Amino acid sequence: MMSLRYPSRLVRQINKITRKNCRCFSAPTRITTMKDKLNHGPNLKEFITGSSEPILTERPNIPYLPDDIQDISKRKVFFDVYGCQMNLNDTDIVWSILEKEGFERTEIEEEADIFLVMTCAIREGAETKIWHRLDHLRGFKRRRALSKHKNRPVKIAILGCMAERLKEKLVEKEKAVDVVAGPDSYRDLPRLLALTDSGQTAVNVLLSLDETYADVVPVRLNQDSVSAFISIMRGCDNMCTYCIVPFTRGRERSRPITSIVDEVRYLSDQGVKEVTLLGQNVNSYRDVSTQSEARDTQMAKGFKTVYKNKKGGLRFADLLDKVSSVDPEMRIRFTAAHPKDFPDEVLQVISERANICKLLHLPAQSGCSAVLARMRRGYTRHAYLQLVHHVTHAIPGVGLSTDMICGFCGETEEEFQETLSLMQLVDYNVAFLFPYSMREKTTAYRRYKDDVPEQVKKERHSRMIELYRKKSQLLNEAEIGNTHLVLVESIVKKTGQILGRNELYIKVLFDQTEILAQDGGRRAVTPGDYVAVKIVGAKSSVLSGIPLYHTSIRDFYRETSWGDRHAVRM
Ligand code: 5AD
Ligand code: SF4
C-alpha cells in the first residue's frame, strides 16, 4: 500500500490533540480513544482552511527538497520594498515564483510567517532605514517565539542588493536573518525558505551572467495600478567609480525581445495603460539571442566608455519599435539611460510614436568635467551639453530629467558651482538629487578620499534642491493655458480630486466632474482614462487643471501633434 505522508502542520495538530488527551486518560484507554477519535474525527481536508482541493494536489512538488521539509505551502509572506523601480519589479518576480509554490500573501504583519525585505544598497541612508526595519522585525520574531503562536515561527529573508553586500554581517555578526538571497537567486527562494525549517540559515548570493527571469511573468503586487514595470535587462557594466550597482547586480545582460513583447501584450490585455521599461542602462540593450545585421552603435562625439559594446542582435530602438506597436493606447516610458548612447535611431522612434513618452532621462551626475572624469562617466560637460542640444532639436519639446550628485570625492566649491550652472542652463523637468555616499568595493572607495564634510554635502544638496524647485516652478508655470494629455492614476482619498500624470510624468490634479466621452455622452473620470486637461495652476512638482473631455492617445495627438505644440528649448 502506498503510504501517505501527512503535512507537518497536520502532524502538529494531531500531536496537540494527543497531548491534550494525555492529561485525562490512562495509557491504554488513551490509545483506543485517540484511534477512535481519528476515525470519526475531522478528515485531512478540514485541517486545511479554505481548501476545496484534495491535499495531495495542494502540496507543492519540489523534488529537490528532502521530504521532511516539504510543507511550505500556505505560509504567509509580507513584502517590504525599499529602493528603486527595479526593486518593485523584482518583488513582482519573487511573488510570481512564491505564489506558484503555494505561498500566500498578507499585508498584515501579525498574520505573516515570512518577512521578505527587498533591499537597496545605493546610499548609506537606504541601508540605515533597512537596519532599523530589521531591528523591528527581530523584535517581532522574538515576541512571536514567546507567544501562544510560537508554533508559527517568523522567518526573515533579505533580498536584493544589500544581500550581496552584507551577507556576512547579516548572518554571522548580527544573526539578524534566516535567508539571504541576491538579485539573481530568486528562483532558489522556495528551497532557501524550506531549509530554514530545520533551523538553518540559507544564503544564495551568486550572481549570474545570464539570469533575466525572462520566463517568469511577474505578478503585480498592486493589481489596481494602471501602470506596470518591465525589466528588460539586469546588471551594469559601466563601472562609474561611485556606484555599487555593478557589484550588487552583476554583469549586464538583456532579456530576449520576444519575452518582453509577450509581457507587454499580456499587460495590455489586463488593461494596463502604461509600462516603464527598466534597466540600469536601457539604451545599451542588446538581444543577442536574435540574429540581425551588426549595425553597431556609433557613440556621439565626446563620449567614451570602459564598457565593451556588444555586437549584433536587436537593439533598444528595435525594442522600442516593437513594444510601442503592441497597443497604440499604451504609454511607453523607459529608465534609466546613460548619456553615452542615445543613437539617432532611438530618438527617431521616440519622435515618431505618439505613445512613447517624450521624456528623456539624461543623468548628468555633475556639471564639472574634472568631477565627471573622477566619476568615470566618459563625457565632459561640453559633450553633455552638445547631447542636450541634439536631443532637444531631434524631438522638439522633449522633457528632460537627470540625476545629480553633490559632494563627490574632492569636489571643490568651484566644481560644485559648475553643477549649479549646468542645472541653470538645461531645463530639467524632473531631477533626482543626491549627496554623495561612499560605498565599499567601488573604485572611489579604493582610489579617492571621501573628503567633502557631511555638513558641506548637506548644504550643497539644499542649494541644488532650491535651484531645481525654482526652475521647475517656472517651467510648470509656462504650461498654464496649455492642454495636456493626462493618464488618470487614482482618486485622492482625502480630497476626492483626480490624480493623473502628463506625458512628462508631472502630476496633474483636477476636480471630479462628468465630461464629454468619446461616444458623445458624458461620464465621470476613472483610473485608466485618458483626459484632455487644461492647465490652470502650477507648483514646482504638481500642476492643476480643468478636465475638458475624455480622449485617447491617437485622438489627442491627431488634433494637436506633439511637435507642433512645442518650440525648441535650447
Ligand atoms: N552616492 C550618491 N548617489 C549615488 N548614486 C549612485 N551611487 C551613488 C552614491 N554612492 C545615484 C546616481 C544614480 C542614481 C540611481 O543614484 O545619481 O544615477
Ligand atoms: Fe551605477 Fe553608472 Fe551603472 Fe548607473 S551607469 S548603475 S550610475 S555604474
Side-chain angles (χ1 to χ4, degrees):
M1 205 182 86
M2 204 181 82
S3 78
L4 182 76
R5 286 180 63 79
Y6 293 103
S8 55
R9 190 196 332 210
L10 176 62
V11 173
R12 276 199 303 271
Q13 301 241 24
I14 294 172
N15 285 343
K16 220 162 125 194
I17 298 169
T18 316
R19 273 201 304 277
K20 222 161 135 194
N21 283 304
C22 279
R23 279 182 236 125
C24 320
F25 301 101
S26 63
T29 336
R30 200 168 67 222
I31 291 162
T32 324
T33 315
M34 197 53 226
K35 271 188 184 159
D36 199 42
K37 278 198 168 209
L38 280 175
N39 282 338
H40 298 100
N43 68 23
L44 210 49
K45 243 163 87 179
E46 286 166 66
F47 284 100
I48 303 150
T49 43
S51 163
S52 56
E53 297 289 320
I55 179 69
L56 288 177
T57 59
E58 279 277 325
R59 285 179 57 193
N61 177 22
I62 308 172
Y64 50 83
L65 290 180
D67 278 355
D68 58 340
I69 55 171
Q70 284 244 344
D71 179 29
I72 55 172
S73 64
K74 297 281 178 196
R75 283 206 273 171
K76 291 197 170 159
V77 298
F78 182 103
F79 284 96
D80 262 326
V81 190
Y82 294 86
C84 59
Q85 293 156 329
M86 197 86 172
N87 271 6
L88 276 174
N89 186 249
D90 276 9
T91 310
D92 293 350
I93 290 172
V94 167
W95 177 227
S96 172
I97 292 166
L98 293 183
E99 194 185 31
K100 275 207 189 77
E101 298 293 351
F103 286 82
E104 289 181 353
R105 217 186 113 211
T106 179
E107 288 173 10
I108 302 165
E109 271 191 15
E110 281 66 30
E111 280 184 11
D113 303 302
I114 300 163
F115 287 89
L116 295 167
V117 189
M118 183 62 81
T119 62
C120 170
I122 202 143
R123 280 170 291 275
E124 201 182 328
E127 283 190 6
T128 310
K129 257 197 234 159
I130 295 163
W131 282 114
H132 285 146
R133 177 67 181 156
L134 275 181
D135 281 346
H136 168 80
L137 291 180
R138 275 191 294 176
F140 187 83
K141 184 175 167 144
R142 268 196 306 273
R143 285 194 297 281
R144 171 75 63 84
L146 298 171
S147 77
K148 61 180 182 195
H149 301 299
K150 59 175 179 280
N151 59 338
R152 282 178 43 221
V154 169
K155 304 286 176 193
I156 303 172
I158 286 287
L159 316 178
C161 292
M162 248 173 107
E164 154 61 21
R165 209 179 91 65
L166 293 168
K167 52 191 180 288
E168 279 148 26
K169 186 167 181 217
L170 283 163
V171 176
E172 285 159 27
K173 288 203 199 110
E174 304 271 334
K175 306 224 178 319
V177 300
D178 304 281
V179 170
V180 180
D184 289 343
S185 39
Y186 300 146
R187 286 180 203 271
D188 200 20
L189 258 178
R191 185 188 70 94
L192 296 172
L193 287 169
L195 283 172
T196 65
D197 273 358
S198 50
Q200 295 181 53
T201 304
V203 179
N204 183 347
V205 290
L206 284 179
L207 288 172
S208 155
L209 288 177
D210 53 12
E211 176 63 276
T212 59
Y213 300 106
D215 57 322
V216 179
V217 179
V219 177
R220 290 182 305 139
L221 288 188
N222 182 1
Q223 295 278 339
D224 298 333
S225 175
V226 301
S227 52
F229 299 112
I230 300 186
S231 278
I232 62 163
M233 55 205 298
R234 301 180 73 82
C236 181
D237 286 350
N238 276 319
M239 303 298 282
C240 302
T241 57
Y242 52 82
C243 188
I244 188 82
V245 169
F247 303 93
T248 57
R249 287 195 163 258
R251 302 299 303 270
E252 183 184 288
R253 62 223 106 114
S254 298
R255 179 176 159 189
I257 226 162
T258 46
S259 89
I260 299 170
V261 171
D262 285 350
E263 193 176 332
V264 173
R265 198 169 293 121
Y266 168 78
L267 289 168
S268 161
D269 291 346
Q270 284 196 331
V272 168
K273 290 290 176 55
E274 177 182 88
V275 294
T276 305
L277 309 177
L278 293 178
Q280 303 299 339
N281 196 9
V282 289
N283 40 13
S284 58
Y285 175 87
R286 283 281 174 146
D287 179 2
V288 286
S289 71
T290 53
Q291 294 299 316
S292 84
E293 287 163 40
R295 292 170 293 143
D296 280 324
T297 316
Q298 286 299 310
M299 222 180 297
K301 228 175 109 207
F303 287 83
K304 60 180 192 309
T305 181
V306 294
Y307 172 101
K308 235 174 144 197
N309 263 332
K310 295 180 181 68
K311 298 247 180 264
L314 292 174
R315 298 170 312 156
F316 189 54
D318 306 307
L319 176 69
L320 271 183
D321 169 42
K322 291 198 186 320
V323 161
S324 59
S325 305
V326 169
D327 176 357
E329 290 304 320
M330 184 185 238
R331 267 185 173 173
I332 311 294
R333 299 186 183 278
F334 56 90
T335 195
H338 191 291
K340 76 178 157 61
D341 37 20
F342 261 107
D344 284 344
E345 290 93 327
V346 169
L347 300 177
Q348 195 177 336
V349 192
I350 297 171
S351 60
E352 278 171 4
R353 295 288 159 85
N355 61 335
I356 304 182
C357 290
K358 311 288 179 280
L359 174 68
L360 292 187
H361 189 58
L362 294 181
Q365 312 294 2
S366 167
C368 167
S369 297
V371 176
L372 287 168
R374 290 204 291 282
M375 289 177 162
R376 197 158 51 201
R377 288 294 288 176
Y379 51 87
T380 58
R381 173 191 174 93
H382 178 68
Y384 181 87
L385 283 170
Q386 272 187 327
L387 176 71
V388 171
H389 186 264
H390 182 62
V391 300
T392 46
H393 278 77
I395 312 172
V398 70
L400 296 176
S401 64
T402 193
D403 293 348
M404 290 285 190
I405 299 176
C406 64
F408 184 58
C409 307
E411 186 189 71
T412 62
E413 173 60 25
E414 290 70 39
E415 288 174 337
F416 173 65
Q417 290 281 348
E418 289 199 61
T419 295
L420 292 182
S421 93
L422 186 86
M423 291 175 67
Q424 207 43 281
L425 270 174
V426 183
D427 287 339
Y428 292 116
N429 299 85
V430 182
F432 302 94
L433 310 169
F434 310 104
Y436 173 61
S437 164
M438 176 70 101
R439 308 276 64 207
E440 265 174 55
K441 281 196 183 173
T442 57
T443 310
Y445 181 81
R446 284 180 274 115
R447 194 178 289 175
Y448 304 128
K449 256 181 98 181
D450 184 16
D451 53 0
V452 178
E454 285 310 306
Q455 195 47 40
V456 176
K457 284 183 192 168
K458 238 178 160 178
E459 179 256 342
R460 287 182 189 167
H461 188 219
S462 311
R463 282 156 71 197
M464 289 203 293
I465 294 174
E466 197 187 320
L467 174 59
Y468 166 58
R469 288 223 177 109
K470 253 191 215 148
K471 282 207 66 190
S472 51
Q473 170 81 38
L474 291 177
L475 278 178
N476 285 348
E477 278 172 8
E479 292 302 319
I480 292 177
N482 287 342
T483 301
H484 288 196
L485 177 65
V486 173
L487 172 61
V488 174
E489 285 186 353
S490 57
I491 298 170
V492 183
K493 266 197 196 130
K494 255 192 190 162
T495 61
Q497 275 196 305
I498 304 292
L499 174 69
R501 294 206 188 242
N502 70 8
E503 176 124 14
L504 303 187
Y505 209 60
I506 311 282
K507 284 182 188 160
V508 182
L509 277 169
F510 56 90
D511 289 334
Q512 174 67 286
T513 162
E514 289 199 342
I515 48 172
L516 189 65
Q518 288 188 290
D519 61 7
R522 294 183 78 79
R523 68 171 176 86
V525 175
T526 53
D529 288 348
Y530 286 109
V531 177
V533 179
K534 183 170 178 172
I535 303 302
V536 294
K539 291 190 183 151
S540 63
S541 61
V542 58
L543 298 166
S544 52
I546 298 171
L548 301 178
Y549 52 89
H550 288 274
T551 184
S552 64
I553 295 180
R554 278 168 297 183
D555 285 348
F556 187 80
Y557 287 122
R558 206 170 288 137
E559 289 153 23
T560 49
S561 98
W562 174 265
D564 293 347
R565 293 184 318 127
H566 291 276
V568 174
R569 280 207 315 227
M570 259 191 70

